[in-house]
Amino acid sequence: MKINYFNIIKTTLLSGLFFCFYSPLQAQSATTLDIDASKTVAEIAPTMYGIFFEDINFAADGGLYAELIKNRSFEFDWPLMGWEQPNSDRHSYNKNSGIAVPVQYSQEQTNHNFIRVKINDASGYKLINKGFRGIGVHENENYRLSFLASNSAGSVTQIHFKLLDEAGKVLGSSSVDLTKGDWKKYRTEFTAKATSKKASLEITFSGQGEIDLDMISMFPENTWKKRENGMRKDLVQLLADMAPGFLRFPGGCIVEGRTLAERYQWKKTVGPVADREILFNRWNTEFSHRPTPDYFQSFGIGFFEYFQLAEDIGATPLPILSCGIACQFNTGELVPMDQLDPYVQDALDLIEFANGDVDTPWGKVRADMGHPEPFNLKYIGVGNEQWGPDYIARYKVFNDAIKDQYPDIVIVSGSGPFPDGDYFEYGMEQLTQIGAEIIDEHYYKSPEWFRENADRYDSYDRNGSKIFAGEYAAQSVAIASPENENNWECALAEAAFMTGLERNADVVQLTSYAPLMAHTEAWQWTPDLIWFDNLSSYGTPNYYVQQIFATNRGSDLLKVSARGEKLIGQNDLYASAVKDESTSEVIVKVVNTGASSKSIKFNIKGVKTGKKAEQIILKSDDLTAVNSIEKPKNISPETTQVNVQKGVQLSPYSVNVFKLKIEN
Ligand code: AHR
C-alpha cells in the first residue's frame, strides 16, 4: 500500500488548526474579576477560620491525648476492661498463677478503683494491655512508664514491663524494684527497637503475694513540646498548620451529656490527672452501626490542657458550657430555672480560671497547674446545640450574669442543630431580639446544598448578631451515614460555600468544620477533617481547603464581582477577595466547581499589582478522590507562579488562591 504522507500531514495540520480555533476551551471567553481594593468592605476577624474540637471518634482518648494505655486507672464501668490475664481464671481465685481484681478505695475519692494483684506463681502470671486498638510505637523512640503501687502484703519484689509486637517479639522492656509500703509513684522507661502499630504491654512480677496497682500509664517522650501528660505531636502539628483563629472545645454534644449528670463539667477536668473523675463517652453507643463500648473520657486532656493547646497554636480559646439542658436528641433533661445557679457559677468560675489573678481561687488553680499568666479568654459559649424556649430562658440568665460581672466577655449562643426550619427560625428570632452577640449555626448538608447556599449570608442584617458557622461539613451520602466520605466533591463544595462566608466577613466572624478528628479503627461519625491511626495521620482534602483559606485569611475584605454581580456559581465559579495589610497582597480565592477549565482575568482597582502572582491550587479530576493513610497528600495544595497579565486558567474542579503583590 502506498502511504500518502502529504495527506496525513495535511489532515493532522487541519485538525490541529480546528482544535486551536474551535476547541470549547478557546471558545470560552475569560471571566473578568473586578476587584475594588480602594475600599475595605469589612475587617476580617482574626477568628474567621478556626477549629472545632470534640472527643468523638477517639479524638482525645486514643487520639490527641498521647496516653497509650487504655483504662489505666481501672475506672471503666467494667474496671478491668482493656486488660487481659491470659493465665487466670476469674472463677478460681487461689488456684491459678495469679489474678487481678478491682478494689474500691476505702475513702470516697474521684479515682474510685485500683487493682489488687494476687500472684501465686510469678512465672505464669501476666497482665496485658492492648491500648487503643493496639499500642502504636515508633522505632528508636523513648517511652515513659509510670504507675502507682502499694506493696504492703506479701513479697512481690519486682514488676517487669515488656512491649511486644503482634508476633510476640519484644520491642522494649524494663523492670522496677518495688519497695515495701503504702502508695508510691514509680517511673521507668525504654526505647522501642522497632515500629509497631499494634503492640501490647505485658506486665509480670517477681515474688509472691499481693500488690495493689493504679494509674498504669505509658506515654511517648516525644509528645508535643515534650510535655508529660502530653499530646500526640503529629496531630497537634496538623492543627497548628491550619493557623486556626480559635479553638472551640470540648464539643459538641459531649458538652451536654445524655443526661445532666453526664454533662461535661470543666471543674472535674482540672488539677492532678489521677484525680480527674472518668466519665463514659456519650458517643460510645450513640450509633448502633458503630458501637464503641470501650470509649471513656479520662479527661487527661481537660480544660487546662485545652487552654494550653489554644495558646500553643495561636488560637483564641472558645469553651462551650452546658446551659442546663441535656442533649435534646437524647433525654433533653432540663435543670429547673430556680436551680440554674451552679451552672451559671461554672461559667463565671471558668472566666476566673482562665483570666483571674493568681490570688483568686480559680486563678490559683490555674497557677498551681503551671500557668500563672492568664489565658486571655474573650469568648464563652452557652449551650452547644439547644433549641426552643427552654434554651432561650436559660441563655438569658447566663447572659445577664456573665455580662454583669464580665462585660467584655463575648457570649456565643446557638441556633440549634439545623440551618433552617422551625427550631432555627425561632432561635434566630429570639436571639436577635435579645441582641445576642454571636450566634452559632450548624449545617451538615449535601454538596449541592453547600454550592447552592454560597449566598446564604448575603441577606443577613449587617447590623444584627454576628455569626459563628460553628459546625459544618458536606455529607456525601447523608448526615451521620457511615458511608460518608471526605471526598473531593464535598471539599470542593465547602470551598465554594466558604467564598460566601468570606464575602460576608462583616457578619460571619468565626467558622469551623466538624467533627475534627477520627481514628481509622474507632470512629463513630464520618466525615471528619483529620484521620489517624496509632502511628500516622493525614489531612483530608477538606482539611486542605480549610488550611488554604485560613493561611490566606487576609485583613480586609474587598468587593469582587464579575459583570457587576457577585460570583456565586455563574459558570460554576465562586470568588472572594481580601487584602492582607501585613504582607501587602491582594488575595483572591476562586473555586471552579465545573468539569471544564475556565479562563479568568483580574481587574484590580485602587492598588497596582505586579504581573506575577503566586497561585495555590487544590484540584482533582476525580470528584470521588480521597486522601488516606497510604496516600496522605493525594489531594493537597501545589504552589506555582503565574503571569496574571493576560489572564489565567483554572483547572476543572479546582480551588485556587491567587496572591498578588501590591506595588504602590
Ligand atoms: O459534630 C458532631 C455532632 O454534630 C456534634 O457533637 C453536635 O454538636 C452536632 O450535632
Side-chain angles (χ1 to χ4, degrees):
M1 190 180 69
K2 204 171 158 202
I3 298 171
N4 185 337
Y5 288 102
F6 176 73
N7 270 351
I8 293 178
I9 293 167
K10 195 173 77 183
T11 318
T12 314
L13 276 177
L14 280 178
S15 53
L17 284 175
F18 176 84
F19 280 115
C20 253
F21 289 109
Y22 297 102
S23 89
L25 283 187
Q26 297 298 320
Q28 211 169 60
S29 63
T31 301
T32 300
L33 301 191
D34 296 307
I35 296 158
D36 185 357
S38 67
K39 269 201 300 256
T40 295
V41 179
E43 280 176 22
I44 310 267
T47 49
M48 184 69 183
Y49 301 108
I51 291 177
F52 163 96
F53 186 90
E54 175 168 24
D55 190 6
I56 180 172
N57 304 317
F58 272 31
D61 287 289
L64 186 62
Y65 188 43
E67 173 63 83
L68 294 165
I69 304 298
K70 187 170 76 184
N71 193 14
R72 64 185 173 190
S73 60
F74 311 100
E75 302 295 305
F76 285 14
D77 290 353
W78 290 93
L80 278 161
M81 192 180 222
W83 294 92
E84 291 173 16
Q85 307 178 72
N87 301 337
S88 301
D89 176 355
R90 260 188 289 161
H91 305 292
S92 52
Y93 186 67
N94 260 324
K95 294 182 198 135
N96 292 289
S97 56
I99 192 151
V101 289
V103 182
Q104 279 199 353
Y105 284 97
S106 50
Q107 280 164 333
E108 197 162 309
Q109 54 186 52
T110 47
N111 173 3
H112 304 277
N113 307 324
F114 58 91
I115 53 165
R116 176 153 296 155
V117 191
K118 181 169 171 60
I119 296 133
N120 300 324
D121 169 12
S123 68
Y125 182 70
K126 286 177 186 170
L127 188 60
I128 294 172
N129 192 287
K130 292 192 172 159
F132 300 88
R133 307 295 181 271
I135 295 177
V137 289
H138 296 268
E139 185 176 359
N140 294 331
E141 290 277 337
N142 218 30
Y143 292 87
R144 291 174 170 158
L145 275 150
S146 63
F147 61 97
L148 298 172
S150 166
N151 191 16
S152 323
S155 57
V156 182
T157 53
Q158 274 193 319
I159 182 162
H160 312 284
F161 297 98
K162 259 190 213 162
L163 190 67
L164 304 169
D165 72 6
E166 279 184 286
K169 201 172 108 204
V170 179
L171 303 177
S173 61
S174 179
S175 294
V176 179
D177 292 333
L178 296 166
T179 51
K180 277 272 171 211
D182 211 355
W183 289 104
K184 178 179 161 190
K185 184 163 183 169
Y186 294 84
R187 294 171 196 272
T188 185
E189 57 184 53
F190 52 68
T191 304
K193 286 189 200 134
T195 296
S196 171
K197 192 159 91 175
K198 289 187 180 285
S200 53
L201 184 72
E202 181 188 276
I203 305 176
T204 54
F205 301 85
S206 293
Q208 258 196 338
E210 284 179 357
I211 177 139
D212 296 341
L213 296 172
D214 201 357
M215 282 299 281
I216 304 175
S217 168
M218 176 175 154
F219 274 88
E221 184 185 299
N222 198 10
T223 56
W224 172 257
K225 289 193 180 268
K226 296 233 158 123
R227 290 203 181 103
E228 278 195 39
N229 192 50
M231 297 186 191
R232 234 175 93 164
K233 210 174 154 185
D234 59 329
L235 291 175
V236 182
Q237 193 59 55
L238 278 166
L239 301 185
D241 291 347
M242 287 175 74
F246 65 89
L247 173 71
R248 166 183 170 160
F249 55 89
C253 293
I254 213 153
V255 169
E256 306 160 1
R258 287 185 194 145
T259 64
L260 285 173
E262 295 155 1
R263 72 190 187 278
Y264 194 105
Q265 298 187 55
W266 74 265
K267 288 176 179 165
K268 295 187 174 187
T269 74
V270 295
V273 176
D275 296 342
R276 301 182 191 174
E277 190 170 27
I278 276 172
L279 182 64
F280 75 91
N281 187 304
R282 52 99 66 224
W283 292 106
N284 61 357
T285 53
E286 187 72 13
F287 300 120
S288 52
H289 54 265
R290 296 289 305 175
T292 324
D294 59 338
Y295 197 3
F296 284 73
Q297 300 176 81
S298 70
F299 299 113
I301 298 181
F303 261 41
F304 178 86
E305 289 79 15
Y306 282 125
F307 277 113
Q308 197 174 43
L309 172 64
E311 186 174 80
D312 286 352
I313 60 178
T316 288
L318 170 44
I320 308 284
L321 298 185
S322 161
C323 64
I325 306 181
C327 181
Q328 285 161 286
F329 290 114
N330 297 149
T331 64
E333 185 188 353
L334 288 171
V335 68
M337 289 297 286
D338 60 0
Q339 292 167 36
L340 195 56
D341 278 1
Y343 292 74
V344 176
Q345 196 57 49
D346 274 358
L348 299 174
D349 290 342
L350 179 63
I351 300 169
E352 185 178 289
F353 174 74
N355 295 350
D357 257 29
V358 296
D359 49 17
T360 60
W362 285 105
K364 181 172 181 326
V365 175
R366 183 193 71 239
D368 290 348
M369 290 184 77
H371 203 287
E373 310 77 25
F375 278 122
N376 199 17
L377 175 69
K378 294 189 187 117
Y379 298 86
I380 196 163
V382 175
N384 168 49
E385 199 180 58
Q386 270 66 51
W387 64 81
D390 294 322
Y391 173 58
I392 300 299
R394 282 158 185 76
Y395 172 80
K396 282 181 184 165
V397 178
F398 275 83
N399 186 60
D400 292 349
I402 295 171
K403 285 292 175 190
D404 193 37
Q405 223 168 306
Y406 299 103
D408 293 337
I409 292 283
V410 177
I411 305 176
V412 175
S413 53
S415 61
F418 310 119
D420 43 34
D422 291 350
Y423 296 160
F424 177 78
E425 304 293 339
Y426 175 82
M428 289 304 271
E429 188 196 313
Q430 294 290 317
L431 290 166
T432 317
Q433 256 174 38
I434 305 168
E437 293 166 289
I438 298 191
I439 308 177
D440 180 12
E441 297 187 5
H442 295 177
Y443 19 89
Y444 296 99
K445 292 286 200 177
S446 68
E448 299 80 56
W449 185 93
F450 278 88
R451 291 192 295 266
E452 284 163 11
N453 281 273
D455 61 350
R456 177 178 176 87
Y457 295 108
D458 293 5
S459 54
Y460 272 51
D461 180 0
R462 305 341 266 180
N463 302 311
S465 305
K466 301 299 176 201
I467 296 300
F468 172 20
E471 289 186 34
Y472 69 87
Q475 314 284 299
S476 63
V477 179
I479 183 164
S481 163
E483 308 304 323
N484 285 330
E485 296 256 20
N486 281 98
N487 66 27
W488 182 230
E489 184 186 7
C490 290
L492 192 61
E494 286 153 12
F497 180 78
M498 286 169 76
T499 61
L501 296 176
E502 192 164 277
R503 266 190 311 97
N504 286 283
D506 51 336
V507 171
V508 183
Q509 307 226 315
L510 306 95
T511 66
S512 45
Y513 183 102
L516 180 68
M517 284 186 190
H519 190 297
T520 54
E521 291 179 52
W523 56 272
Q524 297 81 43
W525 179 300
T526 180
D528 302 284
L529 203 61
I530 292 169
W531 287 81
F532 60 90
D533 63 17
N534 288 341
L535 295 177
S536 3
S537 47
Y538 69 91
T540 56
N542 319 67
Y543 169 89
Y544 288 112
V545 166
Q546 294 291 323
Q547 190 192 50
I548 62 175
F549 270 72
T551 51
N552 295 289
R553 170 173 53 81
S555 51
D556 299 65
L557 179 65
L558 304 179
K559 188 175 166 203
V560 55
S561 57
R563 294 192 190 90
E565 288 183 348
K566 296 165 188 159
L567 204 48
I568 35 181
Q570 305 93 310
N571 195 21
D572 298 324
L573 293 177
Y574 299 78
S576 58
V578 296
K579 185 166 76 181
D580 192 322
E581 281 293 355
S582 64
T583 58
S584 257
E585 285 169 329
V586 170
I587 303 175
V588 191
K589 301 179 181 98
V590 198
V591 178
N592 176 12
T593 59
S596 62
S597 66
K598 308 276 157 55
S599 303
I600 58 161
K601 284 185 175 167
F602 299 111
N603 172 32
I604 301 178
K605 199 174 95 184
V607 295
K608 188 170 179 306
T609 52
K611 289 180 200 160
K612 290 202 175 144
E614 186 180 306
Q615 182 183 4
I616 304 168
I617 316 162
L618 204 51
K619 62 173 182 183
S620 171
D621 291 340
D622 179 3
L623 289 176
T624 64
V626 296
N627 291 349
S628 63
I629 294 277
E630 295 73 31
K631 285 190 176 175
K633 301 244 165 129
N634 188 33
I635 300 178
S636 54
E638 286 160 28
T639 302
T640 164
Q641 297 294 320
V642 284
N643 187 329
V644 288
Q645 208 179 21
K646 291 187 185 148
V648 282
Q649 287 289 118
L650 304 178
S651 300
Y653 304 138
S654 63
V655 181
N656 306 269
V657 179
F658 294 95
K659 302 172 83 169
L660 299 101
K661 275 271 172 230
I662 299 174
E663 291 185 337
N664 56 354

